[in-house]
């Protein structure tokens, strides 16, 4: 009996320990290799910036400093937080009273920059409160909010709706409706995307075992369905739970490969960089570094599609960025 119990315990240990060890080894190997000279900026990078830019807190001196920071770099798009949306999908115009000041100012000092309205909300997918995409009226209101910010002068609209579960057909329906609007306006439709299953079906397994049904990842197929409906898709490749820089870099390399495989060449694919600093279960700042993310993105690009022109990096977020983040971005990518 003791011998059988010992073998049972050993089996459980192997089941729990060996797969993660192999996974860690695979990520570490994914982080190795030479970086190609062609895996550099294409001038299609993006920068998430906070609400202070449209609510009156930022002044002319701040705009001048931002322009100096961005001049000569790879940033083409600013995602400017103009929301959040109300839970019914509407957007009070009072939330962005200084939008025109920012848009006109950026167009004047950096004519190539596109200023997109960043709109988002919490979805009622893992709790009772939030935006409900299953409600057709709410989806119509979201489209109306997109029309509203385009009327206000924004060059495009960028959506970040979370937590968004894989295979959400109501989300795809919303994107179809938004696409008709943005194409008619000749404006880009952009979205922030969840990470892709690191292993097939990972989102389903996590949803089954988590207390609130959280899935975290999307299937690669669903990612592709989203990518085909938009002009630009930015992977939020941070908050990965990775404990080491080498594992995080390998994870980003793998995410880049999966995303490139699923994204049509007609859609801009951006890989997110963690320009923020905090330590919790999901994000360890000494592991999730800008340098590791840049290297991982370059490795993934070089292995999969080094000639892909519609590719870039997306920097999150201006109010938490430090000089070291900018230095790593410039040195590794520009």
């Amino acid at each position: 009996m003791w011998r059988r119990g010992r073998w049972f315990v050993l089996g459980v240990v192997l089941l729990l320990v060996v797969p993660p060890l192999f996974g860690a080894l695979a990520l570490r190997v994914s982080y190795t290799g030479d970086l190609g000279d062609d895996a550099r900026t294409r001038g299609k990078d993006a920068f998430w910036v906070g609400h202070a830019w449209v609510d009156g807190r930022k002044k002319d001196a701040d705009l001048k400093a931002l322009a100096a920071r961005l001049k000569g770099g790879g940033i083409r798009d600013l995602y400017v937080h103009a929301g959040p949306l109300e839970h019914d999908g509407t957007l009070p115009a009072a939330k962005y009273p200084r939008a025109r000041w920012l848009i006109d100012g950026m167009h004047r000092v950096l004519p190539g920059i596109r200023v997109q309205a960043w709109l988002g909300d919490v979805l009622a997918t893992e709790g009772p409160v939030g935006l409900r995409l299953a409600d057709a009226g709410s989806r119509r209101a979201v489209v109306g909010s997109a029309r509203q910010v385009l009327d206000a002068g924004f060059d495009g609209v960028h959506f970040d709706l979370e937590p968004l579960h894989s295979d959400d057909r109501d989300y795809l329906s919303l994107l179809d409706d938004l696409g008709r609007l943005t194409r008619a306006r000749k404006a880009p439709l952009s979205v922030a995307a969840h990470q892709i299953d690191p292993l097939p079906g990972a989102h389903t397994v996590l949803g089954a075992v988590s207390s609130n049904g959280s899935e975290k990842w999307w299937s690669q197929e669903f990612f592709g369905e989203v990518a085909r409906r938009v002009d630009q898709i930015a992977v939020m490749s941070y908050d990965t739970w990775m404990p080491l820089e080498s594992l995080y870099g390998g994870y980003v390399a793998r995410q880049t490969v999966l995303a490139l495989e699923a994204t049509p060449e007609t859609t801009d694919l951006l890989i997110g960089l963690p320009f923020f600093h905090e330590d919790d279960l999901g994000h360890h700042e000494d592991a999730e570094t800008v340098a590791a993310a840049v290297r991982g993105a370059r490795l993934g690009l070089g292995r999969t599609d080094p000639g892909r022109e519609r590719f870039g990096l997306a920097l999150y977020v201006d109010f938490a960025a430090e000089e070291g983040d900018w230095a790593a971005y410039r040195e590794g990518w520009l």
Side-chain angles (χ1 to χ4, degrees):
M1 179 65 72
W2 178 81
R3 291 177 62 86
R4 288 198 299 272
R6 180 175 63 178
W7 283 113
F8 174 77
V9 171
L10 178 60
V12 171
V13 169
L14 291 175
L15 183 64
L16 294 177
V17 174
V18 172
L21 286 178
F22 273 107
L25 178 61
L27 292 180
R28 183 65 185 87
V29 170
S30 184
Y31 194 52
T32 62
D34 296 328
L35 297 172
D37 289 337
D38 53 352
R40 294 281 188 177
T41 185
R42 279 87 162 116
K44 293 179 172 61
D45 302 335
F47 189 24
W48 279 284
V49 301
H51 202 82
W53 288 100
V54 293
D55 68 4
R57 282 176 285 170
K58 295 292 187 179
K59 307 301 180 185
D60 290 345
D62 300 305
L63 182 60
K64 183 178 179 180
L66 177 62
R69 169 78 75 183
L70 301 182
K71 188 174 182 179
I75 304 295
R76 180 183 61 171
D77 288 287
L78 286 184
Y79 303 145
V80 184
H81 191 267
L85 298 169
E86 299 295 305
H87 291 336
D88 63 359
T90 58
L91 178 67
K95 288 188 176 181
Y96 50 90
R98 293 271 282 167
R100 179 55 69 177
W101 166 81
L102 174 65
I103 297 165
D104 291 347
M106 288 304 303
H107 288 171
R108 182 178 64 254
V109 298
L110 289 176
I113 295 288
R114 301 187 303 190
V115 184
Q116 298 198 44
W118 165 17
L119 303 179
D121 192 20
V122 174
L123 296 179
T125 50
E126 298 172 10
V129 177
L131 176 64
R132 298 181 183 276
L133 294 181
D135 182 82
S138 295
R139 296 199 304 273
R140 286 193 296 271
V142 173
V143 176
S145 295
R147 181 180 298 107
Q148 180 180 316
V149 293
L150 293 177
D151 288 343
F154 283 98
D155 299 311
V157 60
H158 173 80
F159 281 94
D160 178 15
L161 302 171
E162 303 180 50
L164 181 58
H165 290 180
S166 187
D167 307 317
D168 189 323
R169 311 311 297 183
D170 295 314
Y171 180 60
L172 298 181
S173 177
L174 172 63
L175 293 180
D176 289 336
D177 295 339
L178 287 167
R180 283 188 283 273
L181 168 67
T182 55
R183 285 191 298 273
R185 296 293 190 93
K186 295 182 171 55
L189 173 59
S190 174
V191 296
H194 289 354
Q195 298 154 31
I196 300 173
D197 281 336
L199 295 172
H203 72 279
T204 302
V205 174
L206 182 61
V209 301
S210 63
S211 59
N212 61 350
S214 174
E215 294 187 353
K216 184 174 177 66
W217 300 290
W218 288 352
S219 71
Q220 190 183 35
E221 180 182 5
F222 182 70
F223 186 97
E225 289 198 60
V226 173
R228 287 190 291 274
R229 287 170 164 83
V230 299
D231 301 296
Q232 190 178 66
I233 187 167
V235 186
M236 296 180 286
S237 42
Y238 33 77
D239 295 336
T240 65
W241 306 337
M242 293 294 113
L244 300 173
E245 189 175 33
S246 59
L247 299 185
Y248 174 62
Y251 183 89
V252 173
R254 181 60 182 156
Q255 285 292 307
T256 302
V257 169
L258 293 170
L260 282 166
E261 291 174 348
T263 304
E265 293 188 358
T266 53
T267 299
D268 291 336
L269 171 63
L270 285 74
I271 303 298
L273 301 185
F275 270 48
F276 64 98
H277 301 268
E278 56 189 50
D279 268 299
D280 53 38
L281 181 62
H283 175 85
H284 303 286
E285 67 171 315
D286 57 346
E288 293 193 4
T289 66
V290 173
V294 171
R295 177 178 173 82
R298 291 183 64 191
L299 286 168
L301 177 63
R303 289 168 184 156
T304 310
D305 194 355
R308 177 82 66 116
E309 282 301 314
R310 302 190 70 163
F311 183 88
L313 302 179
L315 292 48
Y316 180 85
V317 59
D318 73 313
F319 52 78
E322 298 180 357
E323 284 300 323
D325 302 325
W326 284 106
Y329 164 70
R330 289 193 301 266
E331 293 167 11
W333 184 238
L334 298 185

